[in-house]
Amino acid sequence: MSYTGPDLEPPRPRRSPLRRPLTVAVAALVPGALLGWGVYAAVGGSDGGGDAAGARTSSAAPSEGAASASDDAKKPADSSPSATGKPTASSSKSAPAGASGPLKGKVVVIDPGHNPDNFQHTSEINRKVNVGTHWKECDTTGTATNAGYPEAKFTLDVAHRLRTLLEEQGATVKLTQDGDRSYGPCVDERARIGNEAHADAAISIHADGSGAGNRGFHVILPGAVHDGDADTRAIVAPSAELGERVAGNFVRATGGAPSNYVGDGTGLVTRTDLGGLNLSTVPKVFIECGNMRDDKDVAQLTSGTWRQKAAQGMSEGIVSFLRG
Ligand code: ZN
């Protein structure tokens, strides 16, 4: 995720009161998956206060500005979607007819964060859209590693791996974009795609652009919002369950630790400032898979083997959520 403009607003330090009990409940259901998780949660200690969110904002903001600039400078010209200037309507893929498996009949929407070609369409993606609680940019370029590997390429690669895994389980999978449109979609449309698909679960894939030394993944859960077109009250609880299952399985699949800079060691952060969550009417989470500005995280994020493990963790979390 890249936080420019209004995204720099400090995330509100509110947390779902359900989070801690649900974490315990999930731990009881999937003890193997959450063995390491429990250790990190314990080390994280008290859930109170908003220190993590504040630290995130102060550490992320300067590097994010640099990230956007270097995105533009270093972006390799290696992708070639339609350059019509208009989004195409074909950014979806469905499971083959007759798919079988435990997720048969289930719909999962995967939202690969950003778009590899957003940087070529700054005026379009800077257009403000209403996310219920406020207006914010249509989309952002995303961050990149110091060597120039863009977040948008990472998110699309992981999305493809995740799609394959979920389709193998029989799910119908739809992507919000598949490198087949010249920019975006805007954050409001990303939410709308999940809503109109009546998704049983939706996940937005990102990698963070924080300071060196900040490591690990975190899952972002929607906080309760009821303002304008945004009303997340019905999805807060199921999204928390989805997020906790994704986080627990992500730990198991990757062997990695939750974020050491947000979430108090739980790998879970609740936010009310993200349009993609605020406008969702279906259970949805974001996942920041790691920090593209930390060398150790980058070694993982740039590894296809690691990205497969990451997708596996997400898939197992989603399967766990959908099977109940
Ligand atoms: Zn992102």
Side-chain angles (χ1 to χ4, degrees):
M1 180 174 303
S2 176
Y3 300 100
T4 57
D7 269 349
L8 286 171
E9 294 169 2
R12 297 179 197 174
R14 63 190 300 170
R15 303 257 166 82
S16 167
L18 295 174
R19 192 177 77 181
R20 184 64 66 182
L22 277 173
T23 302
V24 173
V26 172
L29 286 170
V30 199
L34 295 174
L35 200 56
W37 169 271
V39 172
Y40 290 114
V43 170
S46 166
D47 199 27
D51 293 347
R56 170 200 179 78
T57 301
S58 59
S59 62
S63 65
E64 285 293 347
S68 295
S70 64
D71 273 358
D72 289 355
K74 297 178 180 176
K75 173 66 176 69
D78 60 355
S79 52
S80 54
S82 66
T84 61
K86 297 283 186 182
T88 65
S90 59
S91 56
S92 66
K93 178 182 176 183
S94 297
S100 60
L103 295 191
K104 180 175 172 58
K106 299 292 187 182
V107 177
V108 179
V109 166
I110 303 172
D111 177 36
H114 315 283
N115 180 312
D117 292 302
N118 273 355
F119 80 102
Q120 293 178 318
H121 297 272
T122 51
S123 62
E124 290 93 338
I125 67 169
N126 285 333
R127 177 174 68 86
K128 296 289 198 300
V129 297
N130 190 325
V131 298
T133 50
H134 56 290
W135 292 77
K136 70 188 305 181
E137 280 83 2
C138 154
D139 204 6
T140 53
T141 57
T143 188
T145 68
N146 292 328
Y149 177 53
E151 178 188 357
K153 288 190 72 172
F154 169 83
T155 65
L156 205 50
D157 177 87
V158 175
H160 289 158
R161 296 171 188 271
L162 178 57
R163 176 173 62 189
T164 298
L165 292 168
L166 290 169
E167 287 182 344
E168 287 172 358
Q169 297 293 314
T172 298
V173 180
K174 181 168 188 167
L175 267 58
T176 59
Q177 58 95 3
D178 197 2
D180 55 353
R181 50 190 295 161
S182 53
Y183 65 88
C186 298
V187 293
D188 57 339
E189 184 179 351
R190 291 176 188 265
R192 190 161 60 244
I193 290 169
N195 298 345
E196 292 181 349
H198 302 289
D200 296 287
I203 186 166
S204 187
I205 300 172
H206 291 261
D208 212 352
S210 188
N214 289 341
R215 294 202 59 196
F217 80 94
H218 65 278
V219 175
I220 304 174
L221 314 174
V225 169
H226 184 210
D227 194 0
D229 291 335
D231 185 356
T232 61
R233 293 172 296 175
I235 67 160
V236 165
S239 298
E241 183 180 346
L242 169 64
E244 286 158 6
R245 289 176 185 253
V246 167
N249 282 282
F250 197 89
V251 167
R252 183 176 64 174
T254 65
S259 171
N260 67 4
Y261 61 101
V262 286
D264 295 330
T266 65
L268 298 173
V269 175
T270 298
R271 290 178 60 173
T272 56
D273 61 318
L274 297 174
L277 293 179
N278 286 0
L279 295 174
S280 182
T281 58
V282 299
K284 183 173 182 180
V285 297
F286 278 42
I287 183 166
E288 298 279 3
C289 295
N291 176 15
M292 300 197 101
R293 297 289 171 166
D294 177 86
D295 287 346
K296 290 177 180 166
D297 271 13
V298 166
Q300 297 179 328
L301 297 166
T302 56
S303 158
T305 301
W306 188 88
R307 292 196 297 272
Q308 185 65 26
K309 291 178 183 174
Q312 189 75 41
M314 292 178 210
S315 175
E316 289 170 3
I318 292 167
V319 170
S320 165
F321 171 74
L322 292 178
R323 298 192 73 179

mmCIF file of all heavy atoms in Angstrom, residues 3-13 50-65 208-211 214 218 261-263 269 271 273:
data_model
loop_
_atom_site.group_PDB
_atom_site.id
_atom_site.type_symbol
_atom_site.label_atom_id
_atom_site.label_comp_id
_atom_site.label_asym_id
_atom_site.label_seq_id
_atom_site.Cartn_x
_atom_site.Cartn_y
_atom_site.Cartn_z
ATOM 1 N N TYR A 3 0.777 5.298 0.854
ATOM 2 C CA TYR A 3 -0.040 6.304 1.483
ATOM 3 C C TYR A 3 0.419 7.667 1.033
ATOM 4 O O TYR A 3 1.410 8.190 1.508
ATOM 5 C CB TYR A 3 0.036 6.180 3.000
ATOM 6 C CG TYR A 3 -0.438 4.849 3.469
ATOM 7 C CD1 TYR A 3 0.451 3.852 3.808
ATOM 8 C CD2 TYR A 3 -1.801 4.583 3.509
ATOM 9 C CE1 TYR A 3 0.000 2.625 4.211
ATOM 10 C CE2 TYR A 3 -2.259 3.357 3.908
ATOM 11 C CZ TYR A 3 -1.353 2.383 4.266
ATOM 12 O OH TYR A 3 -1.797 1.160 4.652
ATOM 13 N N THR A 4 -0.270 8.232 0.083
ATOM 14 C CA THR A 4 0.009 9.592 -0.332
ATOM 15 C C THR A 4 -1.266 10.378 -0.160
ATOM 16 O O THR A 4 -2.354 9.829 -0.178
ATOM 17 C CB THR A 4 0.473 9.636 -1.793
ATOM 18 O OG1 THR A 4 -0.534 9.028 -2.597
ATOM 19 C CG2 THR A 4 1.782 8.894 -1.968
ATOM 20 N N GLY A 5 -1.120 11.677 -0.041
ATOM 21 C CA GLY A 5 -2.299 12.520 0.109
ATOM 22 C C GLY A 5 -3.088 12.119 1.344
ATOM 23 O O GLY A 5 -2.514 11.901 2.408
ATOM 24 N N PRO A 6 -4.404 12.007 1.193
ATOM 25 C CA PRO A 6 -5.253 11.711 2.351
ATOM 26 C C PRO A 6 -4.885 10.403 3.040
ATOM 27 O O PRO A 6 -5.218 10.197 4.190
ATOM 28 C CB PRO A 6 -6.658 11.634 1.735
ATOM 29 C CG PRO A 6 -6.569 12.466 0.502
ATOM 30 C CD PRO A 6 -5.160 12.270 -0.009
ATOM 31 N N ASP A 7 -4.222 9.511 2.330
ATOM 32 C CA ASP A 7 -3.826 8.268 2.970
ATOM 33 C C ASP A 7 -2.854 8.508 4.109
ATOM 34 O O ASP A 7 -2.598 7.621 4.902
ATOM 35 C CB ASP A 7 -3.176 7.325 1.942
ATOM 36 C CG ASP A 7 -4.224 6.433 1.305
ATOM 37 O OD1 ASP A 7 -5.355 6.422 1.805
ATOM 38 O OD2 ASP A 7 -3.883 5.776 0.327
ATOM 39 N N LEU A 8 -2.271 9.684 4.157
ATOM 40 C CA LEU A 8 -1.323 9.963 5.233
ATOM 41 C C LEU A 8 -2.021 10.246 6.550
ATOM 42 O O LEU A 8 -1.389 10.349 7.574
ATOM 43 C CB LEU A 8 -0.449 11.164 4.852
ATOM 44 C CG LEU A 8 0.607 10.846 3.795
ATOM 45 C CD1 LEU A 8 1.263 12.130 3.317
ATOM 46 C CD2 LEU A 8 1.668 9.910 4.360
ATOM 47 N N GLU A 9 -3.338 10.404 6.483
ATOM 48 C CA GLU A 9 -4.050 10.628 7.734
ATOM 49 C C GLU A 9 -3.739 9.495 8.695
ATOM 50 O O GLU A 9 -3.741 8.334 8.306
ATOM 51 C CB GLU A 9 -5.561 10.634 7.477
ATOM 52 C CG GLU A 9 -6.012 11.808 6.628
ATOM 53 C CD GLU A 9 -7.453 11.627 6.177
ATOM 54 O OE1 GLU A 9 -8.068 10.633 6.564
ATOM 55 O OE2 GLU A 9 -7.928 12.503 5.437
ATOM 56 N N PRO A 10 -3.471 9.833 9.943
ATOM 57 C CA PRO A 10 -3.175 8.754 10.902
ATOM 58 C C PRO A 10 -4.372 7.830 11.033
ATOM 59 O O PRO A 10 -5.497 8.299 11.169
ATOM 60 C CB PRO A 10 -2.931 9.503 12.217
ATOM 61 C CG PRO A 10 -2.685 10.920 11.824
ATOM 62 C CD PRO A 10 -3.392 11.155 10.532
ATOM 63 N N PRO A 11 -4.142 6.537 10.924
ATOM 64 C CA PRO A 11 -5.249 5.612 11.164
ATOM 65 C C PRO A 11 -5.781 5.828 12.571
ATOM 66 O O PRO A 11 -5.021 6.034 13.504
ATOM 67 C CB PRO A 11 -4.598 4.239 11.031
ATOM 68 C CG PRO A 11 -3.311 4.468 10.328
ATOM 69 C CD PRO A 11 -2.895 5.872 10.650
ATOM 70 N N ARG A 12 -7.087 5.824 12.679
ATOM 71 C CA ARG A 12 -7.645 5.989 14.016
ATOM 72 C C ARG A 12 -7.271 4.782 14.868
ATOM 73 O O ARG A 12 -7.292 3.661 14.388
ATOM 74 C CB ARG A 12 -9.167 6.108 13.937
ATOM 75 C CG ARG A 12 -9.610 7.340 13.164
ATOM 76 C CD ARG A 12 -11.120 7.402 13.080
ATOM 77 N NE ARG A 12 -11.560 8.325 12.042
ATOM 78 C CZ ARG A 12 -12.840 8.476 11.696
ATOM 79 N NH1 ARG A 12 -13.765 7.781 12.303
ATOM 80 N NH2 ARG A 12 -13.167 9.308 10.741
ATOM 81 N N PRO A 13 -6.938 5.024 16.100
ATOM 82 C CA PRO A 13 -6.452 3.920 16.952
ATOM 83 C C PRO A 13 -7.550 3.028 17.485
ATOM 84 O O PRO A 13 -7.341 2.306 18.432
ATOM 85 C CB PRO A 13 -5.740 4.674 18.083
ATOM 86 C CG PRO A 13 -6.473 5.975 18.165
ATOM 87 C CD PRO A 13 -6.856 6.331 16.754
ATOM 88 N N GLY A 50 -2.912 3.592 20.937
ATOM 89 C CA GLY A 50 -2.758 3.687 19.492
ATOM 90 C C GLY A 50 -1.326 3.924 19.095
ATOM 91 O O GLY A 50 -1.042 4.511 18.064
ATOM 92 N N ASP A 51 -0.392 3.456 19.896
ATOM 93 C CA ASP A 51 1.015 3.725 19.614
ATOM 94 C C ASP A 51 1.445 3.145 18.286
ATOM 95 O O ASP A 51 2.185 3.762 17.534
ATOM 96 C CB ASP A 51 1.898 3.130 20.721
ATOM 97 C CG ASP A 51 1.679 3.851 22.041
ATOM 98 O OD1 ASP A 51 1.060 4.922 22.021
ATOM 99 O OD2 ASP A 51 2.121 3.328 23.073
ATOM 100 N N ALA A 52 0.968 1.952 18.011
ATOM 101 C CA ALA A 52 1.392 1.292 16.779
ATOM 102 C C ALA A 52 0.956 2.099 15.569
ATOM 103 O O ALA A 52 1.723 2.319 14.639
ATOM 104 C CB ALA A 52 0.825 -0.118 16.710
ATOM 105 N N ALA A 53 -0.285 2.547 15.609
ATOM 106 C CA ALA A 53 -0.794 3.307 14.468
ATOM 107 C C ALA A 53 -0.006 4.598 14.301
ATOM 108 O O ALA A 53 0.337 4.996 13.200
ATOM 109 C CB ALA A 53 -2.278 3.600 14.652
ATOM 110 N N GLY A 54 0.310 5.235 15.422
ATOM 111 C CA GLY A 54 1.066 6.471 15.328
ATOM 112 C C GLY A 54 2.463 6.222 14.786
ATOM 113 O O GLY A 54 2.942 6.947 13.925
ATOM 114 N N ALA A 55 3.087 5.154 15.277
ATOM 115 C CA ALA A 55 4.426 4.823 14.808
ATOM 116 C C ALA A 55 4.407 4.523 13.324
ATOM 117 O O ALA A 55 5.292 4.923 12.587
ATOM 118 C CB ALA A 55 4.957 3.623 15.584
ATOM 119 N N ARG A 56 3.345 3.842 12.897
ATOM 120 C CA ARG A 56 3.244 3.500 11.496
ATOM 121 C C ARG A 56 3.212 4.758 10.643
ATOM 122 O O ARG A 56 3.911 4.859 9.652
ATOM 123 C CB ARG A 56 1.963 2.701 11.272
ATOM 124 C CG ARG A 56 1.655 2.514 9.813
ATOM 125 C CD ARG A 56 0.181 2.174 9.617
ATOM 126 N NE ARG A 56 -0.086 2.021 8.213
ATOM 127 C CZ ARG A 56 0.234 0.955 7.524
ATOM 128 N NH1 ARG A 56 0.838 -0.045 8.109
ATOM 129 N NH2 ARG A 56 -0.025 0.865 6.237
ATOM 130 N N THR A 57 2.411 5.703 11.079
ATOM 131 C CA THR A 57 2.252 6.903 10.269
ATOM 132 C C THR A 57 3.562 7.673 10.177
ATOM 133 O O THR A 57 4.000 8.055 9.109
ATOM 134 C CB THR A 57 1.162 7.798 10.876
ATOM 135 O OG1 THR A 57 -0.045 7.040 10.918
ATOM 136 C CG2 THR A 57 0.967 9.039 10.036
ATOM 137 N N SER A 58 4.219 7.826 11.331
ATOM 138 C CA SER A 58 5.417 8.642 11.308
ATOM 139 C C SER A 58 6.548 7.965 10.546
ATOM 140 O O SER A 58 7.325 8.615 9.880
ATOM 141 C CB SER A 58 5.870 8.930 12.740
ATOM 142 O OG SER A 58 6.128 7.722 13.425
ATOM 143 N N SER A 59 6.590 6.642 10.615
ATOM 144 C CA SER A 59 7.690 5.967 9.930
ATOM 145 C C SER A 59 7.395 5.756 8.458
ATOM 146 O O SER A 59 8.296 5.721 7.640
ATOM 147 C CB SER A 59 7.964 4.612 10.595
ATOM 148 O OG SER A 59 6.826 3.779 10.493
ATOM 149 N N ALA A 60 6.102 5.643 8.127
ATOM 150 C CA ALA A 60 5.779 5.312 6.752
ATOM 151 C C ALA A 60 5.761 6.548 5.857
ATOM 152 O O ALA A 60 6.085 6.473 4.694
ATOM 153 C CB ALA A 60 4.411 4.625 6.681
ATOM 154 N N ALA A 61 5.393 7.674 6.421
ATOM 155 C CA ALA A 61 5.129 8.823 5.558
ATOM 156 C C ALA A 61 6.321 9.267 4.721
ATOM 157 O O ALA A 61 6.193 9.399 3.513
ATOM 158 C CB ALA A 61 4.612 9.979 6.407
ATOM 159 N N PRO A 62 7.493 9.459 5.318
ATOM 160 C CA PRO A 62 8.585 9.967 4.493
ATOM 161 C C PRO A 62 8.989 8.997 3.384
ATOM 162 O O PRO A 62 9.175 9.395 2.242
ATOM 163 C CB PRO A 62 9.729 10.156 5.497
ATOM 164 C CG PRO A 62 9.058 10.198 6.838
ATOM 165 C CD PRO A 62 7.873 9.308 6.708
ATOM 166 N N SER A 63 9.057 7.730 3.709
ATOM 167 C CA SER A 63 9.511 6.784 2.702
ATOM 168 C C SER A 63 8.466 6.593 1.621
ATOM 169 O O SER A 63 8.780 6.273 0.494
ATOM 170 C CB SER A 63 9.851 5.433 3.353
ATOM 171 O OG SER A 63 8.690 4.850 3.890
ATOM 172 N N GLU A 64 7.186 6.786 1.981
ATOM 173 C CA GLU A 64 6.160 6.622 0.963
ATOM 174 C C GLU A 64 6.291 7.686 -0.115
ATOM 175 O O GLU A 64 6.087 7.420 -1.285
ATOM 176 C CB GLU A 64 4.770 6.677 1.589
ATOM 177 C CG GLU A 64 4.389 5.419 2.340
ATOM 178 C CD GLU A 64 4.217 4.247 1.402
ATOM 179 O OE1 GLU A 64 4.153 4.440 0.183
ATOM 180 O OE2 GLU A 64 4.168 3.114 1.900
ATOM 181 N N GLY A 65 6.609 8.909 0.311
ATOM 182 C CA GLY A 65 6.777 9.950 -0.688
ATOM 183 C C GLY A 65 7.913 9.601 -1.631
ATOM 184 O O GLY A 65 7.796 9.705 -2.852
ATOM 185 N N ASP A 208 3.872 -3.203 2.006
ATOM 186 C CA ASP A 208 3.985 -1.886 2.631
ATOM 187 C C ASP A 208 5.263 -1.171 2.192
ATOM 188 O O ASP A 208 6.169 -1.781 1.620
ATOM 189 C CB ASP A 208 3.975 -2.062 4.160
ATOM 190 C CG ASP A 208 3.324 -0.874 4.857
ATOM 191 O OD1 ASP A 208 3.037 0.127 4.186
ATOM 192 O OD2 ASP A 208 3.114 -0.966 6.081
ATOM 193 N N GLY A 209 5.320 0.104 2.487
ATOM 194 C CA GLY A 209 6.507 0.901 2.209
ATOM 195 C C GLY A 209 6.897 1.676 3.445
ATOM 196 O O GLY A 209 6.742 2.886 3.504
ATOM 197 N N SER A 210 7.384 0.964 4.434
ATOM 198 C CA SER A 210 7.725 1.574 5.716
ATOM 199 C C SER A 210 9.245 1.682 5.844
ATOM 200 O O SER A 210 9.982 1.429 4.897
ATOM 201 C CB SER A 210 7.117 0.730 6.840
ATOM 202 O OG SER A 210 7.275 1.380 8.082
ATOM 203 N N GLY A 211 9.708 2.054 7.030
ATOM 204 C CA GLY A 211 11.139 2.252 7.229
ATOM 205 C C GLY A 211 11.913 0.944 7.334
ATOM 206 O O GLY A 211 11.360 -0.086 7.741
ATOM 207 N N ASN A 214 11.569 -2.165 9.910
ATOM 208 C CA ASN A 214 10.168 -2.545 10.129
ATOM 209 C C ASN A 214 9.879 -3.774 9.275
ATOM 210 O O ASN A 214 10.032 -3.736 8.054
ATOM 211 C CB ASN A 214 9.227 -1.403 9.749
ATOM 212 C CG ASN A 214 9.294 -0.257 10.727
ATOM 213 O OD1 ASN A 214 9.750 -0.432 11.856
ATOM 214 N ND2 ASN A 214 8.869 0.912 10.310
ATOM 215 N N HIS A 218 0.969 -7.649 8.053
ATOM 216 C CA HIS A 218 -0.204 -7.414 8.891
ATOM 217 C C HIS A 218 -1.460 -7.435 8.037
ATOM 218 O O HIS A 218 -1.429 -7.134 6.850
ATOM 219 C CB HIS A 218 -0.092 -6.135 9.720
ATOM 220 C CG HIS A 218 -0.049 -4.843 8.961
ATOM 221 N ND1 HIS A 218 1.106 -4.344 8.389
ATOM 222 C CD2 HIS A 218 -1.009 -3.927 8.691
ATOM 223 C CE1 HIS A 218 0.855 -3.179 7.818
ATOM 224 N NE2 HIS A 218 -0.433 -2.905 7.967
ATOM 225 N N TYR A 261 5.952 -3.528 13.721
ATOM 226 C CA TYR A 261 5.794 -2.067 13.818
ATOM 227 C C TYR A 261 4.350 -1.605 13.898
ATOM 228 O O TYR A 261 4.109 -0.426 14.151
ATOM 229 C CB TYR A 261 6.533 -1.364 12.670
ATOM 230 C CG TYR A 261 6.066 -1.715 11.275
ATOM 231 C CD1 TYR A 261 5.228 -0.872 10.561
ATOM 232 C CD2 TYR A 261 6.490 -2.894 10.658
ATOM 233 C CE1 TYR A 261 4.814 -1.181 9.278
ATOM 234 C CE2 TYR A 261 6.080 -3.216 9.381
ATOM 235 C CZ TYR A 261 5.247 -2.351 8.697
ATOM 236 O OH TYR A 261 4.828 -2.665 7.423
ATOM 237 N N VAL A 262 3.396 -2.473 13.637
ATOM 238 C CA VAL A 262 1.981 -2.159 13.888
ATOM 239 C C VAL A 262 1.305 -3.409 14.439
ATOM 240 O O VAL A 262 1.780 -4.527 14.230
ATOM 241 C CB VAL A 262 1.213 -1.713 12.612
ATOM 242 C CG1 VAL A 262 1.601 -0.315 12.196
ATOM 243 C CG2 VAL A 262 1.423 -2.710 11.484
ATOM 244 N N GLY A 263 0.231 -3.240 15.138
ATOM 245 C CA GLY A 263 -0.583 -4.374 15.565
ATOM 246 C C GLY A 263 -0.150 -5.030 16.854
ATOM 247 O O GLY A 263 -0.673 -6.086 17.209
ATOM 248 N N VAL A 269 -4.603 -5.139 12.358
ATOM 249 C CA VAL A 269 -4.796 -3.713 12.556
ATOM 250 C C VAL A 269 -6.196 -3.372 12.044
ATOM 251 O O VAL A 269 -6.580 -3.808 10.967
ATOM 252 C CB VAL A 269 -3.744 -2.892 11.772
ATOM 253 C CG1 VAL A 269 -4.033 -1.404 11.874
ATOM 254 C CG2 VAL A 269 -2.339 -3.199 12.277
ATOM 255 N N ARG A 271 -8.771 -0.490 10.732
ATOM 256 C CA ARG A 271 -8.738 0.873 10.193
ATOM 257 C C ARG A 271 -10.108 1.275 9.651
ATOM 258 O O ARG A 271 -10.878 0.423 9.202
ATOM 259 C CB ARG A 271 -7.669 0.984 9.096
ATOM 260 C CG ARG A 271 -6.259 0.899 9.666
ATOM 261 C CD ARG A 271 -5.188 0.950 8.612
ATOM 262 N NE ARG A 271 -5.219 2.189 7.834
ATOM 263 C CZ ARG A 271 -4.286 2.510 6.940
ATOM 264 N NH1 ARG A 271 -3.269 1.699 6.728
ATOM 265 N NH2 ARG A 271 -4.383 3.638 6.265
ATOM 266 N N ASP A 273 -10.180 4.221 7.548
ATOM 267 C CA ASP A 273 -9.868 5.261 6.564
ATOM 268 C C ASP A 273 -9.664 4.711 5.154
ATOM 269 O O ASP A 273 -9.306 5.457 4.253
ATOM 270 C CB ASP A 273 -8.605 6.013 6.990
ATOM 271 C CG ASP A 273 -7.385 5.102 7.088
ATOM 272 O OD1 ASP A 273 -7.532 3.979 7.601
ATOM 273 O OD2 ASP A 273 -6.305 5.519 6.624
#
